[in-house]
Amino acid sequence: MRLSIPESEIKSRQSKFFSSLQEKGIDGAILFSVTDIFYLTGFNFRPSERPIAFFIDPRENTHLLIPHLEKEHAEEYAYVQNVHYYPEYPGLRHPMDYLKKSLMDAGFQNKVIGLDIEGYSSPKGYQGSKVRDLIDAQQFISIKGWVEGFRQIKSNNEIELIKESCRWGNLAHRLLHKYSKVGLSEIEISGRATLEATTTMIETLGKEFLPYGEPTHAFYRGQIGQHSYFPHSQTQNLILKKGDNVVSQSESTVWGYRSELERTMFVGEVSKEQEKYYRLVQQAQKIAVDSIKPGQPFSFVEKNVRDFYKENNVEHLTRHHTGHNIGLLNHEAPFFDLGDERVMQPGMVATVEPALYVENIGGFRNSDTILITDDGFEFLTYYPRDLESLIIP
Amino acid sequence: MRLSIPESEIKSRQSKFFSSLQEKGIDGAILFSVTDIFYLTGFNFRPSERPIAFFIDPRENTHLLIPHLEKEHAEEYAYVQNVHYYPEYPGLRHPMDYLKKSLMDAGFQNKVIGLDIEGYSSPKGYQGSKVRDLIDAQQFISIKGWVEGFRQIKSNNEIELIKESCRWGNLAHRLLHKYSKVGLSEIEISGRATLEATTTMIETLGKEFLPYGEPTHAFYRGQIGQHSYFPHSQTQNLILKKGDNVVSQSESTVWGYRSELERTMFVGEVSKEQEKYYRLVQQAQKIAVDSIKPGQPFSFVEKNVRDFYKENNVEHLTRHHTGHNIGLLNHEAPFFDLGDERVMQPGMVATVEPALYVENIGGFRNSDTILITDDGFEFLTYYPRDLESLIIP
């Protein structure tokens, strides 16, 4: 069972990237984004004060610059031709000075050079020069967002990893549901469900499985009772009470690829008012997915959801757009947003989560991960959505 | 029991920041770093595609710009005078356009303006203008690293939160040790210890406790047997075998403040060679902490460790510097590094973790979190360090 992207696909990503540089007259490129570097090399870097750089030189050779402590790790896992390393950051000689030498040796001097950002950046105490202070170029061209753009269309292998992630997110969510009881705290419920799902996941997938993230995790993040009114609330150590509505979430990571599953659930009983808002978000999600059509802009989905909410006089209870793409990061562009005119394309994977937030009652949100297909969409997450299935006994 | 930084201290951080701007002739400042914003406001933001900004205007009024979905959250938790919000990102009107209006209204136009970075940045699909495209300034001055600099010296309240974090990291580590057995996988051991420690932590601290991070977590991250040779290895789903040496870690977060505890442990038995390397890192850590003297540069500690390793012909087995400061982030500057000439000061909190990595045997590293005091250091983590206590039966 393959649980990673094969070398051949990583190599073809590199070729595609290099061709896109050539089309724009760019001789070589330097990238600092760790997510894009993982995408192009298969090397998963844990950022700290120590910088990383990927570069592809004018002869299409690929390079990584990493700290010495990652040398063996990179040699084993990175699909690149050259691994360069520096002893340490800040070190007696700055890592950017090593980058300078490697770039010179690779023929970057006086060339047309693509850059995702001007230099490595990290909040963890890193300081260093910009690339333009290291070498002379005929021209520096910003290629910010290019690799992010390639990442938007998922390959079959990527879709398989996301589906695998959905499977384990479903188990974690099922266990969260099962272990949720009046009087228990969110952290306890979440911990128990996460541990059991994770253990089952790793025993099922075996030792070839590399999560590159949390294997699986189900949680409430403070979205319990009235506190679920805060859409981005933080874990609060809250206790479940009868009559609460809650918003649950589960995630899973398989070789870096992610999915998202969220449900509104009801502790013990459902009031008429809770039911009213739940039916509205349920219908809104149906309207959203039925609006997914390749060739239409992302804004089309959001407009249809908004129109439905307006008709039902609840538009003032929305707090965020209907969804976002997902992949190696939990939020990626484009967005199901009124202002996003980018076009839906087959192979994109996104969340659909139109929500309502009602003061003194709480939040109502189901989030599913979907695949945009040639003629519409396919649900990748499959936890029940009917109200009766979402009651916590 | 207080488990947060009081409003008065947050306010005095803001005053100190404003005074430092005035001393340099800066009228007002705009910050985008989420860690610095938390430090200056107490508002813990979960970054997504949606931008955030903090600004302090020429009349010393404090402001936050946040997405609508964070409005109530910010109004409840942020110690600022003004909360501005935009509907959504990208939205029909870009969030930076809202920032522009708020900055104009707050009197930033044609002033001397401090900036931590040129504009908001996020890998999660965000694109937007730089501040210089929004308003005219008499001058833009980079204040990158200023707040990070203030964060280096911890107050008594911050030290108390870090000590609280050490306490729960110790419990999680104790349980990791207790549940580690030959034949079990790292994820299962880690999950069980983490769940029990977390549940105990939240039941002990009660509902006032806001972690703003993982409450506590103990794990191996793939550092088991020969694989512990990779200092920054990733979770591998490995099984403990008799004779392995392992590197364990535990962390805990209390209102955003962190600590680090790591130990080399031995499964069942210790070979002569394992013992030799363990004694060396144990002695190196003693040399490191004895070298901690306020007024000396950070490099002094690393030099003494290196000299000791050289004398014992193991310097080639080092892979990283001896440690880093810690606080709201798991790695902060300055570093115990040959190239870090910054000076040790009382109130700094750092890790001390001189390590050795031996091919075909694995890694040897103990990490403790220490406080730099007026005349030396104090251990904040207190898990046993003697070899006999670190055997997994």
Side-chain angles (χ1 to χ4, degrees):
Chain A
M1 182 176 194
R2 168 169 286 287
L3 290 169
S4 60
I5 299 295
E7 180 171 2
S8 57
E9 186 161 326
I10 301 279
K11 291 280 173 71
S12 77
R13 292 172 180 177
Q14 293 171 358
S15 303
K16 184 178 171 188
F17 177 53
F18 191 73
S19 301
S20 71
L21 295 171
Q22 289 195 304
E23 278 168 29
K24 299 282 179 184
I26 300 171
D27 298 314
I30 307 160
L31 299 175
F32 297 103
S33 153
V34 292
T35 308
D36 292 345
I37 292 173
F38 176 61
Y39 182 80
L40 287 177
T41 67
F43 178 65
N44 196 273
F45 183 67
R46 294 202 314 124
S48 68
E49 66 272 23
R50 302 173 184 99
I52 185 172
F54 167 79
F55 47 104
I56 188 159
D57 71 28
R59 281 166 301 180
E60 204 179 338
N61 289 317
T62 51
H63 306 255
L64 265 186
L65 175 80
I66 40 118
H68 189 187
L69 87 173
E70 297 280 13
K71 179 173 171 279
E72 292 81 4
H73 189 213
E75 285 168 352
E76 184 155 337
Y77 293 102
Y79 298 123
V80 292
Q81 286 148 309
N82 306 278
V83 173
H84 311 269
Y85 64 91
Y86 57 86
E88 185 52 296
Y89 172 83
L92 291 173
R93 197 178 139 202
H94 194 284
M96 287 303 115
D97 200 37
Y98 287 85
L99 179 61
K100 176 180 178 166
K101 182 176 186 316
S102 300
L103 292 173
M104 295 283 196
D105 292 348
F108 273 80
Q109 187 76 346
N110 297 319
K111 291 290 193 301
V112 179
I113 299 174
L115 287 178
D116 62 346
I117 49 173
E118 299 207 334
Y120 187 76
S121 170
S122 159
K124 297 190 178 180
Y126 173 80
Q127 294 177 311
S129 304
K130 297 176 176 177
V131 173
R132 64 178 66 248
D133 300 323
L134 305 178
I135 50 169
D136 297 319
Q138 189 184 322
Q139 193 187 347
F140 287 108
I141 294 182
S142 171
I143 56 166
K144 184 174 154 61
W146 283 28
V147 179
E148 204 183 315
F150 299 151
R151 284 169 31 213
Q152 287 176 8
I153 309 291
K154 270 66 178 177
S155 69
N156 289 337
N157 285 319
E158 289 178 294
I159 292 164
E160 285 308 309
L161 295 177
I162 293 172
K163 284 183 176 173
E164 192 67 36
S165 158
C166 291
R167 180 192 302 267
W168 300 105
N170 198 77
L171 176 66
H173 194 279
R174 175 66 203 123
L175 295 175
L176 185 85
H177 191 159
K178 180 172 161 185
Y179 297 139
S180 290
K181 301 278 174 228
V182 167
L184 294 186
S185 85
E186 57 164 319
I187 295 178
E188 185 171 359
I189 299 162
S190 167
R192 188 173 169 197
T194 299
L195 172 57
E196 188 174 326
T198 302
T199 306
T200 307
M201 182 180 187
I202 59 165
E203 290 186 347
T204 304
L205 297 182
K207 73 191 272 296
E208 296 306 305
F209 167 51
L210 289 173
Y212 290 151
E214 270 190 299
T216 186
H217 184 201
F219 53 102
Y220 288 111
R221 206 174 26 76
Q223 299 172 119
I224 290 174
Q226 292 186 23
H227 206 271
S228 61
Y229 174 53
F230 296 160
H232 267 198
S233 78
Q234 308 260 358
T235 298
Q236 296 284 322
N237 193 9
L238 292 167
I239 306 289
L240 262 59
K241 294 190 315 295
K242 193 173 176 186
D244 279 346
N245 47 289
V246 297
V247 181
S248 52
Q249 302 189 233
S250 72
E251 300 174 341
S252 166
T253 321
V254 178
W255 209 76
Y257 286 88
R258 308 170 65 112
S259 63
E260 181 178 300
L261 165 66
E262 302 181 353
R263 287 291 178 268
T264 306
M265 301 204 288
F266 303 90
V267 184
E269 58 192 15
V270 189
S271 73
K272 286 275 173 229
E273 214 174 1
Q274 286 171 325
E275 181 170 347
K276 180 183 96 180
Y277 292 113
Y278 185 73
R279 300 282 181 212
L280 286 166
V281 296
Q282 205 180 10
Q283 289 171 67
Q285 198 194 39
K286 177 85 171 59
I287 285 162
V289 293
D290 288 343
S291 309
I292 294 174
K293 310 276 181 217
Q296 287 276 3
F298 273 80
S299 60
F300 179 67
V301 172
E302 179 74 9
K303 276 196 194 102
N304 290 341
V305 167
R306 291 279 177 152
D307 286 347
F308 169 76
Y309 280 156
K310 260 182 228 162
E311 282 161 26
N312 288 279
N313 300 312
V314 290
E315 201 198 6
H316 63 290
L317 302 178
T318 60
R319 284 288 178 281
H320 55 74
H321 47 221
T322 289
H324 49 79
N325 272 31
I326 187 168
L328 292 174
L329 295 176
N330 63 345
H331 286 224
E332 296 182 349
F335 307 100
F336 291 122
D337 184 284
L338 289 177
D340 201 323
E341 295 306 313
R342 283 172 283 193
V343 163
M344 291 182 257
Q345 296 176 61
M348 287 178 162
V349 175
T351 69
V352 181
E353 45 179 319
L356 295 172
Y357 299 91
V358 191
E359 203 163 357
N360 299 321
I361 299 181
F364 297 84
R365 183 174 79 242
N366 284 351
S367 179
D368 281 286
T369 300
I370 61 97
L371 171 67
I372 301 180
T373 60
D374 289 335
D375 52 3
F377 82 100
E378 176 190 335
F379 274 120
L380 301 185
T381 43
Y382 52 87
Y383 204 79
R385 295 171 197 94
D386 63 291
L387 191 146
E388 294 64 32
S389 298
L390 296 173
I391 292 174
I392 293 168
Chain B
M1 186 175 191
R2 167 169 287 286
L3 289 170
S4 59
I5 299 296
E7 181 172 2
S8 56
E9 185 162 326
I10 302 280
K11 292 281 173 67
S12 77
R13 292 172 180 177
Q14 293 171 357
S15 304
K16 184 179 171 188
F17 177 53
F18 192 72
S19 303
S20 71
L21 295 171
Q22 289 195 305
E23 277 168 29
K24 299 282 179 183
I26 300 171
D27 297 315
I30 307 161
L31 299 176
F32 297 102
S33 152
V34 293
T35 308
D36 291 344
I37 291 174
F38 176 61
Y39 181 79
L40 286 177
T41 68
F43 178 65
N44 196 272
F45 182 69
R46 294 201 316 122
S48 66
E49 66 272 24
R50 303 173 182 99
I52 186 172
F54 167 80
F55 47 104
I56 189 158
D57 72 27
R59 279 165 303 178
E60 204 178 337
N61 289 316
T62 52
H63 306 255
L64 264 185
L65 175 81
I66 40 121
H68 189 187
L69 87 172
E70 296 281 12
K71 179 173 171 278
E72 292 81 3
H73 188 214
E75 284 168 353
E76 184 156 337
Y77 293 102
Y79 298 124
V80 292
Q81 285 148 311
N82 306 277
V83 173
H84 311 269
Y85 64 91
Y86 57 86
E88 185 50 297
Y89 171 84
L92 291 173
R93 196 179 141 204
H94 194 284
M96 287 304 114
D97 200 37
Y98 287 84
L99 180 61
K100 175 178 178 167
K101 183 178 184 315
S102 298
L103 291 173
M104 294 283 198
D105 292 348
F108 272 81
Q109 188 76 345
N110 297 318
K111 292 288 193 301
V112 179
I113 299 174
L115 287 177
D116 62 344
I117 49 173
E118 299 207 333
Y120 187 77
S121 171
S122 158
K124 297 189 177 180
Y126 173 81
Q127 293 177 310
S129 303
K130 296 178 177 176
V131 173
R132 62 178 68 245
D133 301 324
L134 305 177
I135 50 168
D136 296 319
Q138 189 185 321
Q139 193 187 348
F140 287 108
I141 294 182
S142 171
I143 56 167
K144 183 173 155 61
W146 283 27
V147 178
E148 203 183 313
F150 299 151
R151 285 170 31 214
Q152 287 176 7
I153 308 291
K154 270 66 178 178
S155 70
N156 289 337
N157 285 319
E158 290 178 293
I159 293 164
E160 285 308 310
L161 294 177
I162 293 172
K163 284 183 177 173
E164 192 67 35
S165 158
C166 291
R167 179 192 304 266
W168 300 105
N170 198 77
L171 176 65
H173 194 278
R174 174 66 204 123
L175 295 174
L176 185 85
H177 191 159
K178 181 172 158 183
Y179 297 140
S180 292
K181 302 277 173 226
V182 168
L184 295 186
S185 85
E186 58 165 318
I187 295 180
E188 185 171 358
I189 298 163
S190 168
R192 187 173 171 199
T194 298
L195 172 56
E196 186 174 328
T198 302
T199 306
T200 307
M201 182 181 186
I202 60 166
E203 290 186 347
T204 304
L205 297 182
K207 73 191 273 295
E208 295 306 306
F209 166 52
L210 289 173
Y212 290 150
E214 269 190 300
T216 185
H217 184 201
F219 52 103
Y220 287 111
R221 205 171 30 72
Q223 299 171 120
I224 290 175
Q226 290 185 24
H227 207 272
S228 61
Y229 174 53
F230 297 161
H232 266 199
S233 79
Q234 309 259 358
T235 298
Q236 296 284 322
N237 192 10
L238 292 168
I239 307 287
L240 260 57
K241 296 191 314 296
K242 192 172 176 188
D244 279 346
N245 47 291
V246 299
V247 181
S248 53
Q249 300 190 233
S250 74
E251 300 174 341
S252 165
T253 321
V254 178
W255 210 75
Y257 286 89
R258 308 170 65 114
S259 62
E260 180 179 301
L261 165 66
E262 302 180 353
R263 288 290 179 268
T264 307
M265 301 202 289
F266 304 89
V267 184
E269 58 190 14
V270 188
S271 72
K272 285 274 172 233
E273 213 173 3
Q274 286 171 325
E275 181 170 347
K276 180 183 96 180
Y277 292 113
Y278 184 72
R279 300 282 182 212
L280 285 167
V281 296
Q282 205 181 9
Q283 289 172 68
Q285 197 194 40
K286 177 85 172 59
I287 285 163
V289 293
D290 288 343
S291 309
I292 294 174
K293 309 274 180 219
Q296 288 276 3
F298 273 79
S299 60
F300 179 66
V301 172
E302 179 74 7
K303 277 196 195 104
N304 290 341
V305 168
R306 292 279 177 152
D307 286 346
F308 169 77
Y309 281 156
K310 259 183 232 163
E311 282 160 28
N312 288 277
N313 300 313
V314 290
E315 202 198 4
H316 63 290
L317 302 177
T318 61
R319 283 290 178 279
H320 56 74
H321 48 220
T322 289
H324 50 79
N325 272 30
I326 187 168
L328 292 174
L329 295 176
N330 63 346
H331 286 223
E332 297 183 346
F335 306 99
F336 291 121
D337 185 284
L338 289 177
D340 201 324
E341 295 305 312
R342 285 172 281 194
V343 163
M344 292 182 257
Q345 296 177 61
M348 288 178 162
V349 174
T351 68
V352 181
E353 45 179 320
L356 294 172
Y357 299 92
V358 190
E359 203 163 357
N360 300 321
I361 299 181
F364 296 83
R365 183 174 78 244
N366 285 352
S367 179
D368 281 285
T369 301
I370 61 96
L371 170 68
I372 302 180
T373 60
D374 290 334
D375 52 4
F377 82 100
E378 178 190 334
F379 274 121
L380 301 185
T381 43
Y382 51 88
Y383 204 79
R385 295 172 198 96
D386 62 291
L387 191 147
E388 293 65 32
S389 298
L390 296 173
I391 292 174
I392 294 169

